Amino acid sequence: MSSLRTDNDTWDIASSVGATAVMVAAARAAETDRPDRIITDPYAKVLVAGAGTGAWGFIGDTDFRAKVAAQDPEVDALFEHMGNYQAVRTHFFDAYFAAAVDAGIRQVVILASGLDSRAFRLTWPAGTTVFEIDQPLVLEYKSATLAAQGATPTADRREVAIDLRQDWPAALKAAGFDASQPTAWLAEGLLMYLPADAQDRLFAQISDLSAPGSRVAAESMGAHDPDRWERVRERFDRITAQLDAEPMDITELTYEDPDRAEVADWLAANGWRAEAVDSRDEMRRLDRLVEIPDTGEQAFSTFTTGVRL
């Protein structure tokens, strides 16, 4: 269980879970700068720049990476893996949304949207509404930052400023959500920050709001060997201390719960047709898999998609 989380904790864009959104955006910005990029996010860099200073500043910093590689090539490989993973994850869920709208879905809900810029950077068919749910301060930061850049959503974007531990279904409906219409849901970079019972409750709420033909996609993390994570943490700490960098340990924000349900199993038992993809297979398919020593046999994560029956 997380050591830094409480039942009623909150955050802005530069603290706690909010800061992880900046790190993910920094990874998208770094990917966008690559000549062999597999995703493009023209808004990621400005969203990171406005968030102040933090651990995200080292993501995409070639000088920092060169110093890391000189001191510990295996840690540098882990940095490369993490960047590739974020690119592949984004690519996977971009494709999920493309398939959903091709199937005629025009209602989208992004849960814990953070600095997700899909409402601005993807091409949505006319009549598409994208609902973004997150903490008020996170949504305020994103909207103000992108407005200052003159960015215009490519869909009818509606903010739902509420914590997912509160009555978000009511807030979503108040924002114009129509439960009689098929919906494409996304829970990306979210489930690890929820206890197991909260995850079950979230999917039950999604199911209650989903008309037949609705779709859902989620990223879920597998259980990991705590001894391995401690070894990795020690190496990170040693490198960051030598380079005078401020590390960020997201494991202090997540919930490691052995009773957590597999998303595909839960969906299949509750009225959905589900399919799960090992993230390593997707990384391999896109030629972005980096072999990391001491990783064990479990997937780094699983990408699950489902269709409401």
Side-chain angles (χ1 to χ4, degrees), residues 6-58:
T6 61
D7 289 342
N8 298 306
D9 56 340
T10 187
W11 49 84
D12 59 15
I13 198 59
S15 64
S16 186
V17 178
T20 68
V22 186
M23 295 183 70
V24 172
R28 293 199 305 270
E31 177 67 21
T32 299
D33 285 342
R34 288 178 57 148
D36 62 342
R37 58 185 172 271
I38 58 174
I39 62 102
T40 300
D41 186 343
Y43 305 105
K45 191 171 292 185
V46 68
L47 287 167
V48 173
T53 59
W56 50 81
F58 298 103

Side-chain angles (χ1 to χ4, degrees), residues 87-106:
V88 169
R89 183 181 82 169
T90 302
H91 183 277
F92 182 91
F93 292 122
D94 282 359
Y96 157 76
F97 278 130
V101 297
D102 283 349
I105 293 176
R106 296 294 181 267

Side-chain angles (χ1 to χ4, degrees), residues 52-257:
T53 59
W56 50 81
F58 298 103
I59 298 175
D61 184 331
T62 54
D63 289 340
F64 176 76
R65 283 285 304 278
K67 293 176 182 177
V68 171
Q71 296 198 33
D72 193 329
E74 289 187 3
V75 170
D76 184 59
L78 186 56
F79 273 115
E80 182 180 1
H81 166 81
M82 292 164 62
N84 284 353
Y85 173 79
Q86 294 295 338
V88 169
R89 183 181 82 169
T90 302
H91 183 277
F92 182 91
F93 292 122
D94 282 359
Y96 157 76
F97 278 130
V101 297
D102 283 349
I105 293 176
R106 296 294 181 267
Q107 186 166 248
V108 171
V109 179
I110 302 177
L111 301 155
S113 58
L115 297 183
D116 188 303
S117 63
R118 290 185 174 96
F120 295 84
R121 66 178 180 80
L122 296 186
T123 301
W124 300 99
T128 302
T129 302
V130 178
F131 296 91
E132 296 187 11
I133 304 178
D134 211 321
Q135 298 251 354
L137 292 176
V138 173
L139 291 175
E140 287 173 14
Y141 169 78
K142 178 164 61 177
S143 293
T145 302
L146 294 182
Q149 296 296 311
T152 303
T154 53
D156 178 5
R157 175 178 176 264
R158 303 188 189 182
E159 296 183 356
V160 184
I162 192 170
D163 192 299
L164 288 171
R165 292 165 293 189
Q166 299 170 352
D167 189 2
W168 64 267
L172 182 62
K173 291 177 183 178
F177 176 84
D178 184 355
S180 70
Q181 299 298 314
T183 303
W185 303 85
L186 177 61
E188 177 187 25
L190 166 61
L191 301 185
M192 71 189 83
Y193 301 110
L194 298 177
D197 59 342
Q199 175 179 307
D200 291 347
R201 183 166 60 254
L202 178 74
F203 283 110
Q205 291 168 314
I206 290 172
S207 297
D208 289 344
L209 294 168
S210 294
S214 293
R215 300 189 178 199
V216 65
E219 171 202 26
S220 56
M221 312 299 288
H224 296 287
D225 177 2
D227 291 337
R228 174 186 171 268
W229 276 114
E230 184 58 32
R231 292 192 296 272
V232 170
R233 185 181 294 109
E234 288 174 355
R235 294 177 75 169
F236 268 120
D237 288 347
R238 184 170 62 252
I239 289 291
T240 54
Q242 291 170 350
L243 299 179
D244 194 27
E246 183 68 29
M248 181 177 180
D249 185 359
I250 67 167
T251 63
E252 294 183 334
L253 303 173
T254 61
Y255 292 87
E256 185 78 18
D257 195 328

